[in-house]
Amino acid sequence: MNYADFKKRVENYREEIYRDVYLENQEKIRIKKESTAIKNFEKIFDAVFDITYEKGFQAMTMRDLSSRANMSLGALYGYFASKEELLAIIQKQGSSMIRNIFAQFHDQTAPLLEQLRAVIKTHLFLSESARPWFYFTFMEAKNLTSTGRQAVIAMEEYTENMLVTILESGEEKGIFRKQNHLLTASIIKAMQQEWYLKRWKYRKREIDVDAYADCVLEFTESYCLNPDYAECGI
């Protein structure tokens, strides 16, 4: 799987995300026409990500958001009651997006080495496709309530544990070396976060996400694979 293949399979995910936001918050939203709400949620979220990248979510005012989204203040409050509620909606939907995409691309019946590759690539490709969302989640976690921070930690553990489970199962089958798999998974996660937090560096060096993913896989496999293991589709 390369990034182009990934994008083809998830080409409608943005609309699905905003539809889910509308459906999950329908009782609180004053705008009842689904197509209008979906379109405006996309405008609101994109504006939040742009402003946050420039000066941070806490520094963003509702007037900033109104201007950037090209919506009146009254219209904005038709979708959420406060900045804190908007932040919680964004974080919650980001978690749902990640779980749904991984469920689509992680075939738990596939050979373990194939699973490892799929999980690493899916994370990188999703973070490329939805980079503003990943960047926002990472940078704004400190501004969440205790419950919100716990949700971000739970998502971090969710993706990390997928790697740990694959590596532990592979060790049992002689595919991967015996080692501290939790530490290994943490290092893999750090390499994945490097991609969306320092995207400017790789753009300057003309390194695309496919090349970066291949490099992460090469590092991971060279460290994790049992030297005595000859790949045979286990």
Side-chain angles (χ1 to χ4, degrees), residues 184-214:
T184 300
S186 298
I187 293 170
I188 293 171
K189 290 282 294 181
M191 289 191 288
Q192 291 169 327
Q193 290 168 344
E194 166 83 2
W195 175 254
Y196 60 84
L197 292 177
K198 299 182 181 178
R199 183 69 182 83
W200 58 269
K201 180 167 65 175
Y202 298 101
R203 184 182 297 112
K204 182 178 180 181
R205 296 172 183 177
E206 299 183 346
I207 297 172
D208 64 18
V209 69
D210 284 308
Y212 189 85
D214 287 342

Short mmCIF file of all heavy atoms in Angstrom, two decimals, residues 184-214:
data_model
loop_
_atom_site.label_atom_id
_atom_site.label_comp_id
_atom_site.label_asym_id
_atom_site.label_seq_id
_atom_site.Cartn_x
_atom_site.Cartn_y
_atom_site.Cartn_z
N THR A 184 9.89 -0.45 22.24
CA THR A 184 10.01 -0.42 20.78
C THR A 184 8.82 0.31 20.16
O THR A 184 8.97 1.14 19.26
CB THR A 184 10.09 -1.85 20.21
OG1 THR A 184 11.22 -2.50 20.77
CG2 THR A 184 10.21 -1.83 18.69
N ALA A 185 7.61 -0.02 20.63
CA ALA A 185 6.40 0.64 20.11
C ALA A 185 6.44 2.14 20.37
O ALA A 185 6.02 2.94 19.52
CB ALA A 185 5.16 0.03 20.75
N SER A 186 6.96 2.55 21.53
CA SER A 186 7.06 3.97 21.85
C SER A 186 8.00 4.69 20.90
O SER A 186 7.75 5.83 20.48
CB SER A 186 7.55 4.15 23.29
OG SER A 186 6.64 3.60 24.22
N ILE A 187 9.09 4.03 20.53
CA ILE A 187 10.04 4.63 19.60
C ILE A 187 9.44 4.72 18.20
O ILE A 187 9.62 5.72 17.50
CB ILE A 187 11.35 3.81 19.60
CG1 ILE A 187 12.05 3.95 20.95
CG2 ILE A 187 12.28 4.26 18.46
CD1 ILE A 187 13.22 3.01 21.14
N ILE A 188 8.70 3.70 17.79
CA ILE A 188 8.02 3.75 16.50
C ILE A 188 7.03 4.92 16.50
O ILE A 188 6.94 5.67 15.52
CB ILE A 188 7.29 2.43 16.21
CG1 ILE A 188 8.30 1.30 16.02
CG2 ILE A 188 6.40 2.55 14.96
CD1 ILE A 188 7.66 -0.09 15.94
N LYS A 189 6.28 5.08 17.59
CA LYS A 189 5.33 6.18 17.69
C LYS A 189 6.04 7.53 17.59
O LYS A 189 5.53 8.46 16.96
CB LYS A 189 4.59 6.11 19.03
CG LYS A 189 3.61 4.97 19.14
CD LYS A 189 2.32 5.28 18.41
CE LYS A 189 1.59 6.42 19.06
NZ LYS A 189 0.29 6.73 18.37
N ALA A 190 7.21 7.63 18.19
CA ALA A 190 7.96 8.89 18.12
C ALA A 190 8.36 9.20 16.68
O ALA A 190 8.32 10.36 16.25
CB ALA A 190 9.19 8.80 19.02
N MET A 191 8.75 8.18 15.92
CA MET A 191 9.08 8.40 14.51
C MET A 191 7.85 8.82 13.72
O MET A 191 7.94 9.64 12.80
CB MET A 191 9.70 7.13 13.91
CG MET A 191 11.09 6.82 14.41
SD MET A 191 11.95 5.51 13.47
CE MET A 191 11.03 4.05 14.03
N GLN A 192 6.70 8.27 14.08
CA GLN A 192 5.46 8.66 13.39
C GLN A 192 5.09 10.11 13.72
O GLN A 192 4.69 10.88 12.84
CB GLN A 192 4.33 7.70 13.79
CG GLN A 192 4.53 6.29 13.25
CD GLN A 192 3.56 5.28 13.86
OE1 GLN A 192 3.18 5.41 15.02
NE2 GLN A 192 3.16 4.29 13.09
N GLN A 193 5.23 10.50 14.97
CA GLN A 193 4.91 11.87 15.37
C GLN A 193 5.87 12.88 14.74
O GLN A 193 5.47 14.01 14.42
CB GLN A 193 4.94 11.98 16.89
CG GLN A 193 3.78 11.26 17.57
CD GLN A 193 3.96 11.12 19.06
OE1 GLN A 193 5.06 11.29 19.60
NE2 GLN A 193 2.88 10.80 19.76
N GLU A 194 7.10 12.48 14.55
CA GLU A 194 8.08 13.34 13.89
C GLU A 194 7.56 13.81 12.53
O GLU A 194 7.77 14.95 12.12
CB GLU A 194 9.40 12.58 13.72
CG GLU A 194 10.41 13.18 12.76
CD GLU A 194 11.26 14.27 13.38
OE1 GLU A 194 11.10 14.54 14.59
OE2 GLU A 194 12.10 14.84 12.67
N TRP A 195 6.85 12.91 11.84
CA TRP A 195 6.39 13.24 10.49
C TRP A 195 5.40 14.41 10.50
O TRP A 195 5.57 15.37 9.74
CB TRP A 195 5.75 12.03 9.82
CG TRP A 195 5.17 12.39 8.48
CD1 TRP A 195 3.86 12.53 8.16
CD2 TRP A 195 5.90 12.71 7.30
NE1 TRP A 195 3.72 12.90 6.86
CE2 TRP A 195 4.96 13.02 6.30
CE3 TRP A 195 7.26 12.75 6.99
CZ2 TRP A 195 5.33 13.38 5.01
CZ3 TRP A 195 7.63 13.11 5.70
CH2 TRP A 195 6.68 13.43 4.73
N TYR A 196 4.39 14.37 11.36
CA TYR A 196 3.39 15.44 11.29
C TYR A 196 3.74 16.67 12.11
O TYR A 196 3.21 17.75 11.89
CB TYR A 196 1.98 14.93 11.62
CG TYR A 196 1.77 14.32 12.97
CD1 TYR A 196 1.50 15.10 14.09
CD2 TYR A 196 1.77 12.94 13.14
CE1 TYR A 196 1.26 14.52 15.33
CE2 TYR A 196 1.51 12.35 14.38
CZ TYR A 196 1.26 13.16 15.46
OH TYR A 196 1.02 12.58 16.69
N LEU A 197 4.67 16.54 13.08
CA LEU A 197 5.08 17.69 13.86
C LEU A 197 6.17 18.51 13.17
O LEU A 197 6.29 19.72 13.39
CB LEU A 197 5.56 17.26 15.24
CG LEU A 197 4.50 16.68 16.18
CD1 LEU A 197 5.13 16.22 17.48
CD2 LEU A 197 3.40 17.70 16.44
N LYS A 198 6.96 17.87 12.32
CA LYS A 198 8.05 18.57 11.63
C LYS A 198 7.96 18.37 10.13
O LYS A 198 8.97 18.16 9.44
CB LYS A 198 9.41 18.09 12.17
CG LYS A 198 9.59 18.36 13.65
CD LYS A 198 10.95 17.92 14.16
CE LYS A 198 11.09 18.18 15.65
NZ LYS A 198 12.41 17.72 16.17
N ARG A 199 6.73 18.45 9.63
CA ARG A 199 6.49 18.23 8.21
C ARG A 199 7.30 19.18 7.35
O ARG A 199 7.76 18.82 6.25
CB ARG A 199 4.99 18.40 7.92
CG ARG A 199 4.59 18.13 6.48
CD ARG A 199 4.73 16.66 6.14
NE ARG A 199 4.41 16.40 4.75
CZ ARG A 199 5.25 16.57 3.73
NH1 ARG A 199 6.48 17.00 3.98
NH2 ARG A 199 4.89 16.31 2.51
N TRP A 200 7.52 20.40 7.81
CA TRP A 200 8.26 21.41 7.06
C TRP A 200 9.68 20.94 6.73
O TRP A 200 10.21 21.24 5.65
CB TRP A 200 8.35 22.71 7.88
CG TRP A 200 9.01 22.52 9.23
CD1 TRP A 200 8.41 22.22 10.41
CD2 TRP A 200 10.41 22.57 9.52
NE1 TRP A 200 9.33 22.09 11.43
CE2 TRP A 200 10.57 22.30 10.91
CE3 TRP A 200 11.55 22.84 8.76
CZ2 TRP A 200 11.81 22.28 11.53
CZ3 TRP A 200 12.79 22.83 9.38
CH2 TRP A 200 12.91 22.55 10.75
N LYS A 201 10.28 20.20 7.65
CA LYS A 201 11.66 19.75 7.46
C LYS A 201 11.76 18.78 6.29
O LYS A 201 12.67 18.88 5.46
CB LYS A 201 12.16 19.09 8.75
CG LYS A 201 13.60 18.57 8.65
CD LYS A 201 14.14 18.22 10.02
CE LYS A 201 13.42 17.07 10.67
NZ LYS A 201 14.06 16.67 11.95
N TYR A 202 10.81 17.88 6.19
CA TYR A 202 10.85 16.88 5.13
C TYR A 202 10.38 17.44 3.79
O TYR A 202 10.84 17.01 2.74
CB TYR A 202 10.04 15.66 5.56
CG TYR A 202 10.64 15.05 6.81
CD1 TYR A 202 10.09 15.29 8.06
CD2 TYR A 202 11.83 14.31 6.74
CE1 TYR A 202 10.68 14.79 9.21
CE2 TYR A 202 12.42 13.81 7.87
CZ TYR A 202 11.85 14.05 9.11
OH TYR A 202 12.46 13.57 10.23
N ARG A 203 9.49 18.43 3.85
CA ARG A 203 9.10 19.10 2.61
C ARG A 203 10.31 19.82 2.02
O ARG A 203 10.53 19.78 0.81
CB ARG A 203 7.97 20.09 2.89
CG ARG A 203 7.45 20.78 1.62
CD ARG A 203 6.35 21.79 1.92
NE ARG A 203 5.17 21.18 2.52
CZ ARG A 203 4.77 21.37 3.76
NH1 ARG A 203 5.48 22.15 4.57
NH2 ARG A 203 3.69 20.78 4.21
N LYS A 204 11.09 20.48 2.88
CA LYS A 204 12.28 21.19 2.44
C LYS A 204 13.29 20.23 1.81
O LYS A 204 13.99 20.57 0.84
CB LYS A 204 12.92 21.91 3.63
CG LYS A 204 14.15 22.72 3.30
CD LYS A 204 14.68 23.44 4.54
CE LYS A 204 15.92 24.26 4.21
NZ LYS A 204 16.44 24.94 5.44
N ARG A 205 13.34 19.01 2.32
CA ARG A 205 14.28 18.01 1.81
C ARG A 205 13.67 17.15 0.69
O ARG A 205 14.29 16.19 0.25
CB ARG A 205 14.74 17.11 2.97
CG ARG A 205 15.51 17.88 4.03
CD ARG A 205 15.78 17.03 5.26
NE ARG A 205 16.47 17.81 6.29
CZ ARG A 205 16.78 17.38 7.51
NH1 ARG A 205 16.43 16.14 7.87
NH2 ARG A 205 17.40 18.16 8.37
N GLU A 206 12.46 17.51 0.29
CA GLU A 206 11.75 16.83 -0.80
C GLU A 206 11.56 15.33 -0.51
O GLU A 206 11.72 14.48 -1.38
CB GLU A 206 12.47 17.04 -2.14
CG GLU A 206 12.54 18.51 -2.54
CD GLU A 206 13.19 18.71 -3.90
OE1 GLU A 206 13.82 17.77 -4.41
OE2 GLU A 206 13.05 19.81 -4.45
N ILE A 207 11.23 15.05 0.74
CA ILE A 207 10.94 13.67 1.16
C ILE A 207 9.43 13.56 1.35
O ILE A 207 8.84 14.28 2.16
CB ILE A 207 11.67 13.32 2.46
CG1 ILE A 207 13.18 13.38 2.25
CG2 ILE A 207 11.24 11.95 2.97
CD1 ILE A 207 13.99 13.24 3.53
N ASP A 208 8.79 12.67 0.59
CA ASP A 208 7.35 12.53 0.72
C ASP A 208 7.01 11.44 1.73
O ASP A 208 7.89 10.75 2.26
CB ASP A 208 6.69 12.27 -0.64
CG ASP A 208 7.12 10.96 -1.29
OD1 ASP A 208 7.67 10.07 -0.58
OD2 ASP A 208 6.93 10.82 -2.51
N VAL A 209 5.72 11.27 1.98
CA VAL A 209 5.30 10.36 3.03
C VAL A 209 5.60 8.90 2.68
O VAL A 209 5.88 8.09 3.57
CB VAL A 209 3.80 10.55 3.37
CG1 VAL A 209 2.91 10.09 2.23
CG2 VAL A 209 3.43 9.85 4.67
N ASP A 210 5.58 8.55 1.41
CA ASP A 210 5.92 7.18 1.02
C ASP A 210 7.38 6.87 1.34
O ASP A 210 7.69 5.79 1.87
CB ASP A 210 5.66 6.97 -0.47
CG ASP A 210 4.19 6.81 -0.79
OD1 ASP A 210 3.53 5.96 -0.16
OD2 ASP A 210 3.69 7.52 -1.68
N ALA A 211 8.27 7.81 1.02
CA ALA A 211 9.69 7.61 1.30
C ALA A 211 9.93 7.54 2.81
O ALA A 211 10.73 6.72 3.28
CB ALA A 211 10.52 8.73 0.67
N TYR A 212 9.23 8.40 3.56
CA TYR A 212 9.40 8.41 5.01
C TYR A 212 8.89 7.10 5.60
O TYR A 212 9.54 6.50 6.47
CB TYR A 212 8.66 9.59 5.62
CG TYR A 212 8.96 9.79 7.09
CD1 TYR A 212 10.07 10.52 7.50
CD2 TYR A 212 8.13 9.24 8.07
CE1 TYR A 212 10.35 10.70 8.85
CE2 TYR A 212 8.41 9.41 9.41
CZ TYR A 212 9.52 10.14 9.81
OH TYR A 212 9.80 10.31 11.14
N ALA A 213 7.75 6.63 5.13
CA ALA A 213 7.19 5.37 5.63
C ALA A 213 8.13 4.20 5.35
O ALA A 213 8.34 3.34 6.21
CB ALA A 213 5.83 5.11 4.99
N ASP A 214 8.70 4.17 4.15
CA ASP A 214 9.64 3.09 3.82
C ASP A 214 10.85 3.12 4.74
O ASP A 214 11.35 2.06 5.15
CB ASP A 214 10.10 3.23 2.36
CG ASP A 214 9.00 2.86 1.37
OD1 ASP A 214 8.04 2.19 1.77
OD2 ASP A 214 9.11 3.25 0.18
#
